[in-house]
Amino acid sequence: MHIMEGFLPHPWWEIWFAIALPIVAYGVYRLSKLTKKIPEAKPLLALMGAFIFVLSALKLPSVTGSSSHPTGAGLAAVVVGPGITSVLSIIVLIFQALLLAHGGLTTLGANTFSMGIVGPFVAYAIWIAAKKVRLPTSVGIFLAAAIGDLVTYVVTSAQLALVFPTAGGFFDAFLTFGSIFAVTQVPLAIGEGLLAVVLFDFLAKYKGQLLSAMKVIKLPTPASTHKEPKQQ
Amino acid sequence: MNTKHYIIIIAVVIAIFAIPLIIFPNAPYSGADSAAEEAISGQGYTPWFTPLWEPPSGEIESLLFALQAAIGAMIIGYFVGYERGKKAKKEIKETETAQ
């Protein structure tokens, strides 16, 4: 999903910065509010940042014969919220732009928008919806992480198609970039969803109180049958 | 879920990424990011800005990617081990006081 350095001409790179930065600023506000209100949440922030760090470093092979990487941002959106996730994402993207020549400083706004904003907000919305319709927790986490990952790549495809429409127009270009990015991403998104399920299940078991204080999950009351708090 | 479930899920994840390599051993597996880059360059676009610094070789680049993954994995491993140890200690204490 990284749009390479210099690949967004004026005025597009400025537009994406203008959209992304206020949301990152909101994330910084949420971050300071969370750490003040629930200081015990700090290790969770580190953990979510670490999950994004690992997953976005792994370039994995896909059935399309090319490779790509997951983002890890969907799980973070569920646990610490999409605003804070945008902050975690921009940190990773800056690291990759400066040290790996992967992505870029001029495309940072656009890449933050796809990976740190739309993906996480969609993941969060799916998680909330899954809770509303009482899907099992693991199913909700899987859908949130997998679809959040996929949506990020759809956004990247749209961002590139807006700037580089082909003779067939925006939609034709969107399909071209979509076939490069989004299709390759499908198995990766499934893999990311599964890993997110494992890590979240661990968190629910060992950090249930904290997740409940952060209003991520409700600890089971005798009435609800779903999650098992103290198994093993 | 218990450890057995975790192992099964992780085995499935590994299978998802091993299967393409087995079915299409001769595919290039180049990065989607660079494929998009090529599609754009094919339209005659030249980037107006270049990275401030680039890893001098593929080896150095993979070093930095490995470092990125290692830092993340270290934090996750520390967290998981710490929480498991904390819980185990608490359980030992509880059984001691119960006796």
Side-chain angles (χ1 to χ4, degrees):
Chain A
M1 45 61 59
H2 292 81
I3 299 176
M4 291 299 173
E5 186 75 282
F7 272 81
L8 286 180
H10 167 80
W12 290 102
W13 67 274
E14 294 102 317
I15 290 173
W16 293 118
F17 265 107
I19 296 171
L21 286 183
I23 298 164
V24 174
Y26 163 75
V28 172
Y29 163 74
R30 291 295 303 241
L31 189 64
S32 68
K33 220 174 112 181
L34 175 68
T35 50
K36 250 183 231 136
K37 210 173 114 199
I38 312 175
E40 309 85 66
K42 279 178 193 164
L44 276 191
L45 291 167
L47 184 73
M48 289 303 115
F51 190 67
I52 296 174
F53 232 59
V54 176
L55 288 201
S56 63
L58 299 177
K59 297 186 185 172
L60 297 159
S62 174
V63 283
T64 53
S66 56
S67 58
S68 183
H69 62 86
T71 70
L75 180 65
V78 168
V79 175
V80 296
I84 294 176
T85 303
S86 74
V87 182
L88 298 176
S89 300
I90 202 171
I91 293 169
V92 177
L93 288 168
I94 291 170
F95 174 91
Q96 292 184 324
L98 289 178
L99 292 179
L100 297 159
H102 201 64
L105 293 177
T106 60
T107 53
L108 186 64
N111 290 335
T112 303
F113 183 73
S114 64
M115 173 182 163
I117 294 170
V118 180
F121 273 92
V122 167
Y124 186 74
I126 290 170
W127 165 245
I128 296 296
K131 276 206 291 193
K132 275 260 157 64
V133 299
R134 294 171 184 276
L135 282 179
T137 306
S138 293
V139 176
I141 294 292
F142 174 80
L143 291 176
I147 298 173
D149 178 316
L150 208 54
V151 163
T152 292
Y153 282 80
V154 172
V155 171
T156 304
S157 305
Q159 283 172 324
L160 287 176
L162 279 171
V163 187
F164 303 103
T166 53
F170 165 79
F171 198 69
D172 185 56
F174 177 65
L175 288 182
T176 306
F177 291 118
S179 68
I180 293 173
F181 281 124
V183 181
T184 300
Q185 202 63 22
V186 171
L188 276 72
I190 295 169
E192 171 170 350
L194 292 174
L195 290 178
V197 166
V198 170
L199 190 56
F200 189 84
D201 187 76
F202 179 87
L203 281 178
K205 246 186 242 165
Y206 286 81
K207 285 278 170 201
Q209 298 283 350
L210 178 59
L211 288 184
S212 161
M214 290 164 75
K215 299 197 172 65
V216 179
I217 52 169
K218 271 199 192 114
L219 282 183
T221 51
S224 78
T225 47
H226 280 336
K227 285 250 46 142
E228 65 284 42
K230 260 202 200 150
Q231 189 205 33
Q232 283 191 316
Chain B
M1 279 195 254
N2 57 36
T3 313
K4 203 174 90 191
H5 296 121
Y6 291 170
I7 292 170
I8 292 170
I9 292 177
I10 289 167
V12 171
V13 172
I14 293 170
I16 289 173
F17 300 116
I19 286 167
L21 295 177
I22 296 163
I23 309 178
F24 308 113
N26 298 320
Y29 294 110
S30 52
D33 288 340
S34 48
E37 197 180 333
E38 276 158 33
I40 296 164
S41 301
Q43 289 188 18
Y45 177 81
T46 36
W48 61 277
F49 196 81
T50 47
L52 299 175
W53 183 79
E54 268 184 86
S57 72
E59 282 75 12
I60 305 299
E61 187 180 341
S62 62
L63 162 74
L64 290 164
F65 268 109
L67 205 60
Q68 184 189 330
I71 293 169
M74 190 178 73
I75 295 170
I76 295 173
Y78 177 88
F79 181 93
V80 169
Y82 181 82
E83 292 300 331
R84 283 179 65 97
K86 205 164 78 176
K87 196 176 178 185
K89 197 180 164 192
K90 206 173 124 198
E91 275 161 11
I92 291 169
K93 255 195 190 150
E94 274 164 11
T95 47
E96 273 172 358
T97 49
Q99 277 164 3

